[in-house]
Amino acid sequence: MSLWSKKNRIVITCGKNITSFLNEEVLSLGLPILSEGVAHVETEGTMFDAMRLNLLIRTGHRVLFLLETFNAKNPDGLYEKISRIQWEDYIPEDGYICVTSTVETPTIQDSRFANLKCKDAIVDRIKRKCGRRPDSGPKRDQSVIHLYWKDEICLIYLDTSGEPLSKRGYRRIPLKAPMQETLAAAVILATGWKGDGNFVNPMCGSGTIAIEAALIALERAPGLLRGNYGFMHLKGFDQSSWKALRTKAKAASKKNLNAEIIATDISQQAVDAAKQNAATAGVERMIKFGVCDFSETPVPEEGGMVILNPEYGERMGKIEELKETYKRIGDFFKKRCQGYIGYIFTGNFDLAKRVGLRTKRRIPFFNGNIECRLLEYDLYEGSRKRELPIK
Ligand SMILES: C[S@@+](CC[C@H](N)C(=O)[O-])C[C@H]1O[C@@H](n2cnc3c(N)ncnc32)[C@H](O)[C@@H]1O
């Protein structure tokens, strides 16, 4: 059976603690959940499903299509078993391959050695069968093979994403401490906001949260912005079914929003970058940008959500200054955001206490290795008081 028609296990990797959001995304595409871990979800489908996943999911990093499972005790055993796979059916002999791996086996100290063995087995086989061998190296912009080797069990995957899906292609100007696109999407999904009510994002930095919000509200496939995926470099890739998938996804996307998305930052440079990134993402006209202190951000009366990702002293910003900033965020919430649900994404829980408001939810996330929280504040009280009928 050809690679493109057979069904197999598909592992989708993601950031730590994002699994529940990825799970929902996979289920919403009609695919089953076979298992899940701290940073991955396992489903089942065809390469066509892998293409859909690459195009449509917002919170996953890499879509790995399982090719073979076998036992190997040592590097020579690995080479031998990998040599038996019919690579000439999958990888073009004039192509380029990159091998990545996750290795936890006693006979290998350095995973790069496992990568090398795996790469050698693939290119040697293709050379034997086709008379020439593909080039190889660290670039992930063509065929990518992923080796998972734990104890004696080996799983060989085709990495159908190539470059990780967090690289959507719109963030040409990253600035300092940008939030990863997939994390920003998960944070917005955690709030439950889908385009109803206003979305106010002071301290927008390079605009990732506001841009992901626009993509979510428009129901626009995040993968439409990218022109290159790993699956495109595999033999038998059918350009016309990929085109059809893209056309369907484009047609399903809304053209306009009901809500307002407002993004501001104190730095002109940040706002310029955010605008340019939004333009690349095709959502510039959906977002109102402004340069101001967060406390002066225009907050529409009708309510909605307000979300801030202030510095938290790990990578930038000084703690003493930040204490005052977090206190001022609390004042801003109380005075200016009545009728809103407020959110702060931070990795510094001491600073978060300076906000001085009771949290309704504390949702755990990781930004890289830094443990973070999305703190939710119900700011309805003031507005309810205001709305009491006068007797
Ligand atoms: C951690 S970064 C936000 C990163 C953003 N989520 C992204 O993906 O690029 C914090 C941002 O807050 C901005 N900032 C710091 N103090 C501010 C203030 N008082 N008012 C408004 N923005 C401020 C900084 O210029 C910076 O862009």
Side-chain angles (χ1 to χ4, degrees):
M1 200 188 282
S2 119
L3 170 69
W4 292 84
S5 48
K6 77 175 172 194
K7 218 179 195 188
N8 217 340
R9 288 181 170 245
I10 297 173
V11 165
I12 311 157
T13 65
C14 62
K16 257 191 195 171
N17 269 30
I18 286 186
T19 327
S20 61
F21 308 105
L22 180 56
N23 242 329
E24 272 187 40
E25 291 202 274
V26 172
L27 288 171
S28 75
L29 295 179
L31 296 170
I33 303 295
L34 302 184
S35 71
E36 63 176 76
V38 192
H40 79 268
V41 163
E42 192 181 24
T43 181
E44 184 181 50
T46 60
M47 279 293 283
F48 185 76
D49 293 317
M51 288 202 296
R52 282 173 69 220
L53 286 161
N54 276 293
L55 181 63
L56 300 172
I57 54 172
R58 298 180 194 280
T59 59
H61 282 173
R62 303 202 285 161
V63 180
L64 306 173
F65 187 85
L66 183 66
L67 210 49
E68 290 290 341
T69 308
F70 53 79
N71 277 37
K73 285 198 174 78
N74 52 44
D76 288 340
L78 179 79
Y79 179 96
E80 207 269 312
K81 295 277 175 60
I82 293 180
S83 300
R84 291 189 204 168
I85 300 174
Q86 293 177 355
W87 292 104
E88 63 281 6
D89 291 349
Y90 312 134
I91 312 280
E93 55 275 20
D94 56 354
Y96 175 100
I97 65 164
C98 168
V99 177
T100 61
S101 64
T102 308
V103 178
E104 271 179 63
T105 192
T107 57
I108 293 271
Q109 305 309 324
D110 183 345
S111 68
R112 283 174 301 181
F113 185 57
N115 294 1
L116 194 67
K117 274 284 176 194
C118 182
K119 183 270 293 174
D120 283 348
I122 298 169
V123 299
D124 290 352
R125 164 139 188 157
I126 296 177
K127 176 97 200 282
R128 241 183 3 261
K129 298 284 175 184
C130 308
R132 72 177 281 192
R133 46 153 287 180
D135 284 338
S136 62
K139 288 187 292 171
R140 292 199 193 172
D141 59 352
Q142 295 187 49
S143 309
V144 182
I145 293 101
H146 184 72
L147 159 72
Y148 176 86
W149 190 5
K150 187 159 174 34
D151 302 326
E152 289 188 10
I153 297 180
C154 284
L155 292 98
I156 303 287
Y157 295 95
L158 292 170
D159 180 343
T160 65
S161 306
E163 293 285 0
L165 299 177
S166 52
K167 293 193 180 169
R168 306 259 203 257
Y170 65 72
R171 198 160 63 193
R172 306 261 163 89
I173 310 175
L175 294 182
K176 280 186 251 167
M179 190 183 264
Q180 211 173 29
E181 293 87 327
T182 40
L183 175 59
V187 163
I188 297 162
L189 294 177
T191 69
W193 188 83
K194 293 211 168 85
D196 310 315
N198 300 305
F199 188 99
V200 183
N201 178 212
M203 299 185 160
C204 69
S206 58
T208 323
I209 295 177
I211 294 168
E212 289 297 321
L215 295 175
I216 287 174
L218 290 169
E219 294 174 23
R220 189 171 292 172
L224 280 172
L225 296 163
R226 245 173 75 157
N228 188 27
Y229 290 91
F231 60 76
M232 293 177 171
H233 303 278
L234 298 172
K235 278 188 177 175
F237 164 59
D238 177 10
Q239 183 81 42
S240 61
S241 49
W242 172 240
K243 252 186 155 174
L245 264 181
R246 283 180 56 96
T247 307
K248 194 173 163 200
K250 274 188 199 162
S253 163
K254 292 181 188 163
K255 302 292 170 275
N256 291 301
L257 292 184
N258 297 327
E260 272 198 67
I261 300 180
I262 295 166
T264 65
D265 198 286
I266 201 161
S267 150
Q268 177 76 55
Q269 192 200 2
V271 173
D272 288 346
K275 270 189 189 168
Q276 210 163 322
N277 290 335
T280 310
V283 296
E284 191 191 21
R285 74 183 173 86
M286 316 289 167
I287 305 172
K288 279 194 188 150
F289 289 99
V291 178
C292 61
D293 185 81
F294 69 86
S295 61
E296 279 149 30
T297 302
V299 180
E301 277 216 346
E302 313 82 54
M305 64 166 284
V306 52
I307 181 164
L308 294 94
N309 168 213
E311 294 144 29
Y312 40 82
E314 285 283 350
R315 287 192 259 175
M316 51 193 289
K318 295 169 214 79
I319 295 293
E320 282 310 312
E321 254 175 63
L322 289 175
K323 282 183 186 166
E324 181 57 21
T325 304
Y326 277 69
K327 184 182 161 296
R328 288 204 302 124
I329 293 176
D331 297 340
F332 169 65
F333 275 176
K334 267 188 291 195
K335 292 188 187 134
R336 304 259 341 269
C337 304
Q338 292 174 357
Y340 275 73
I341 302 187
Y343 292 94
I344 299 176
F345 183 92
T346 183
N348 189 320
F349 310 143
D350 283 335
L351 284 174
K353 288 181 193 143
R354 303 277 162 163
V355 174
L357 295 174
R358 182 179 302 170
T359 50
K360 190 175 170 206
R361 284 199 296 161
R362 305 167 69 84
I363 308 164
F365 279 100
F366 279 86
N367 188 1
N369 281 329
I370 306 168
E371 196 178 343
C372 296
R373 296 277 184 277
L374 177 66
L375 306 170
E376 182 179 284
Y377 302 88
D378 194 344
L379 309 172
Y380 272 94
E381 214 167 88
S383 62
R384 268 195 226 116
K385 268 187 208 147
R386 260 193 324 191
E387 281 161 19
L388 283 177
I390 302 162
K391 290 192 177 159

